[in-house]
């Protein structure tokens, strides 16, 4: 089995002495859609920087489709596309020129690049803005331009560092559809995000980094499976003074009309409802509490920090 | 074979991008030297020059022409590379190059060719301006002239590159040109022959590398020089080799461009 990405014992200490990575290992299978999560400063961008040779590593090994970047950097790079967290194009150039020039750096002459660039820009809704100076684009479109640049040489592995940060809901959904589509067509995708809902929607496998170490590397399914408590929110018809006490179901009153329950996975929610009826608590509606993955994430990161 | 082709496409892309950059901002890059040099020719050539008389047997304005061309070529090749490479670093668009499979030597060569293109173009512009003021000028040794022109542009493009590698702010890219490069050029025989200096200053001037560049070029254009030509050409080539080595080393190490 060749892995799209294989990292072992990757360490990075910045010149100032910050130990950003303390020995990260991870493997991403070909065709995977992988989420790399972690709190601010965890080391996600450092890891991605090293993979793309934008940051020098202190030690460790990186292989892209089985090719060690220390042995054949050029070959490894032709298979890799990276969308950096920070904007990295010249603000004064035109959208079209930026993408065509990037293709040129990959060795693709302009005549060959043009049809491809047109296609990518159209799919990312940038075609109408192709002659605009990059600095005049809004934040969301700048992100799209970054993605266009990373795709121009048909990479087999695409790594995106917070591609949807600051992107509105509609654009984000469009981007999701786009990424799902290129993943389906065979491109392996690794993505970092702080929107866990996004990771849950898109990714099959997931790695969590905290303070430069891996705290989890598993499939999304398994991870969600380990979650044994689920939160439910009940909207009440009549206000309550305080949360009722019900055996086995810890309850919390968010405001007088909203009750939150933590329900253990092996318990039936029917039991809770019958208790509510006994206490004459009338439920108007019920929903899942925010994001399950979010709680798990915080739990894992907290336990790592202890 | 395939990969050689790709490298040449990437080099071509970078070089064209570099040339486009200074052509796009031609008001800042191409016009000022033409204006400044016209002023020099009017004031020192036409107005004051006749009172100075001859320098090494040439009309003063004629003597000045090679010096002023060199002055422009040096500052423009240097500035082109230092400002372009620094702004690429500053805007992070250096990542576009680093992420690509382009080899370091091609990255360096692309920036240097950009600097050389601007230096040489400015050289011709200033020469064109000088012909307005001194139409009877003929070039003594065209081959030597062109050779020195190219070598000088390469040398100072490389220096600009190193300056940009170490620059951390916009101040850093003007400190060296203002406080080191310009004084050395002005004192390097652009406006006078070191034969007019007292012995002590003549000896000190001999340690100024600009003297060799300016005088070799003057030998090409006028057939007169204060220094030995083969020695100067040798030194220029040696410096180019050393600086190229240094640039490639910095690129490999990632100095100033990779954290
Ligand atoms: N150029 C640098 N010089 C010194 N320290 C750095 C540099 N870049 C990052 N760091 C440090 O390395 C650590 C990891 O940073 P990194 O950017 O990789 O985190 P991240 O997981 O991407 O965070 P975020 O979610 O905020 O983007 C942080 O402590 C950061 O301060
Ligand atoms: Mg980051």
């Amino acid at each position: 089995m060749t892995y799209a990405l294989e990292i072992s014992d990757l360490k990075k200490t910045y010149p100032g002495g910050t130990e950003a990575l303390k020995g990260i290992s991870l493997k991403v299978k070909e065709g995977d859609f992988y989420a790399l999560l972690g709190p601010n400063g965890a080391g996600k961008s450092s890891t991605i920087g090293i993979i793309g040779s934008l940051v020098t590593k202190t030690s460790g090994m990186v292989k892209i489709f089985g090719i060690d970047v220390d042995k054949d950097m050029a070959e490894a790079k032709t298979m890799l596309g990276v969308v950096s967290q920070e904007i990295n194009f010249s603000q004064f150039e035109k959208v079209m020129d930026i993408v065509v020039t990037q293709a040129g750096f990959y060795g693709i002459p302009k005549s060959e690049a043009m049809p491809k660039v047109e296609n990518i820009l159209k799919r990312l809704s940038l075609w109408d803005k192709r002659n605009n100076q990059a600095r005049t684009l809004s934040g969301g479109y700048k992100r799209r331009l970054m993605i266009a640049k990373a795709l121009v040489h048909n990479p087999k592995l695409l790594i995106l560092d917070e591609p949807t940060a600051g992107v509105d809901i509609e654009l984000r959904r469009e981007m999701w559809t786009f990424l799902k589509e290129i993943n389906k067509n065979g491109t392996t995708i690794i993505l970092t995000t702080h929107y866990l809902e996004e990771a849950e929607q898109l990714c099959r496998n997931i790695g969590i980094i905290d303070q430069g170490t891996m705290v989890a590397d598993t499939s999304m399914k398994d991870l969600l499976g380990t979650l044994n408590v689920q939160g439910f929110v009940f909207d009440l018809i009549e206000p309550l003074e305080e949360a009722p006490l019900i055996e086995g179901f810890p309850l919390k009153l968010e405001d007088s009309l909203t009750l939150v329950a933590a329900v253990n996975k092996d318990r039936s929610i029917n039991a809770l409802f019958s208790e509510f009826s006994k206490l004459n608590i009338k439920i108007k509606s019920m929903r899942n509490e925010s994001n399950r993955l979010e709680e798990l994430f915080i739990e894992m990161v907290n336990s790592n920090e202890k | 074979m395939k990969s050689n082709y790709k490298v040449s496409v990437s080099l071509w892309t970078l070089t064209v991008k570099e040339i486009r950059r200074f052509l796009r901002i031609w008001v800042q890059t191409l016009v000022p030297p033409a204006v400044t040099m016209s002023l020099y020719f009017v004031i020192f050539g036409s107005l004051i020059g006749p009172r100075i008389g001859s320098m090494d047997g040439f009309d003063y304005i004629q003597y000045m022409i090679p010096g002023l061309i060199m002055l422009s070529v040096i500052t423009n090749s240097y500035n082109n590379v230092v400002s372009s490479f620094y702004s690429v670093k500053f805007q992070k668009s250096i990542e576009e190059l680093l992420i690509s499979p382009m080899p370091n030597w091609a990255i360096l060569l692309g920036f240097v060719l950009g600097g050389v293109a601007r230096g040489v173009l400015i050289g011709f512009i200033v020469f064109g301006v000088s012909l307005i003021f001194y139409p009877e000028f003929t070039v003594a040794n065209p081959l030597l002239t062109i050779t020195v022109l190219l070598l000088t542009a390469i040398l100072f493009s490389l220096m600009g590159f190193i300056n940009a590698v170490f620059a951390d702010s916009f101040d850093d890219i003007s400190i060296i040109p203002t406080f080191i490069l310009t004084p050395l050029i002005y004192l390097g025989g652009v406006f006078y022959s070191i034969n007019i200096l007292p012995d002590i200053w003549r000896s000190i001037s001999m340690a100024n590398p600009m003297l060799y560049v300016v005088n070799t070029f003057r030998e090409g254009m006028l057939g007169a020089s204060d220094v030995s030509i083969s020695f100067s050409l040798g030194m220029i080539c040696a410096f180019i080799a050393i600086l190229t080595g240094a640039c490639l080393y910095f690129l490999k190490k990632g100095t100033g461009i990779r954290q």
Side-chain angles (χ1 to χ4, degrees), chain B residues 3-12 14-15 101-113 158 161 244 247-249 251-252:
Chain B
S3 88
N4 281 348
Y5 169 71
K6 285 193 169 178
V7 173
S8 52
V9 170
S10 63
L11 176 59
W12 172 255
L14 179 57
T15 308
M102 212 171 157
N104 289 337
W105 65 261
I107 295 178
L108 177 63
L109 187 55
F111 280 98
V112 168
L113 287 175
L158 288 165
F161 191 87
T244 305
C247 288
L248 291 175
Y249 172 76
L251 278 172
K252 188 168 159 57

Side-chain angles (χ1 to χ4, degrees), chain A residues 15-35:
Chain A
T18 311
E19 215 184 337
L21 301 176
K22 298 171 187 158
I24 297 250
S25 300
L26 69 90
K27 287 176 179 169
V28 177
K29 289 193 192 107
E30 186 165 2
D32 201 355
F33 206 136
Y34 187 96

Side-chain angles (χ1 to χ4, degrees), chain A residues 56-72:
Chain A
T56 52
K57 60 181 160 54
T58 307
S59 67
M61 186 206 67
V62 176
K63 279 185 180 172
I64 297 167
F65 287 97
I67 295 167
D68 189 333
V69 295
D70 290 330
K71 298 209 176 97
D72 193 350

Side-chain angles (χ1 to χ4, degrees), chain B residues 36-159:
Chain B
T36 321
M37 292 309 140
S38 303
L39 289 170
Y40 275 118
F41 287 126
V42 171
I43 296 170
F44 294 102
S46 308
L47 299 178
I48 301 179
R51 299 195 184 195
I52 296 174
S54 71
M55 183 76 71
D56 272 2
F58 296 97
D59 289 344
Y60 185 62
I61 184 167
Q62 190 183 6
Y63 188 84
M64 253 178 36
I65 290 170
L68 289 179
I69 293 177
M70 269 298 101
L71 171 67
S72 317
V73 171
I74 290 173
T75 48
N76 278 283
S77 353
Y78 190 96
N79 278 334
N80 196 68
V81 180
V82 77
S83 52
S84 174
F85 193 64
Y86 181 69
S87 67
V88 161
K89 250 175 71 168
F90 179 77
Q91 299 201 46
K92 282 176 171 286
S93 60
I94 181 89
E95 293 189 359
E96 295 177 345
L97 290 163
L98 298 180
I99 199 80
S100 80
M102 212 171 157
N104 289 337
W105 65 261
I107 295 178
L108 177 63
L109 187 55
F111 280 98
V112 168
L113 287 175
V116 170
R118 172 154 153 206
V120 170
L121 182 57
I122 296 285
F124 277 97
I125 291 176
V126 174
F127 184 56
V129 169
S130 70
L131 287 180
I132 302 172
F133 294 90
Y134 196 83
E136 56 272 40
F137 194 99
T138 51
V139 179
N141 185 343
L143 184 64
L144 180 64
T145 303
I146 293 291
T147 309
V148 180
L149 178 68
L150 287 173
L151 290 178
T152 307
I154 294 171
L155 179 63
F156 288 92
S157 296
L158 288 165
M159 286 191 191

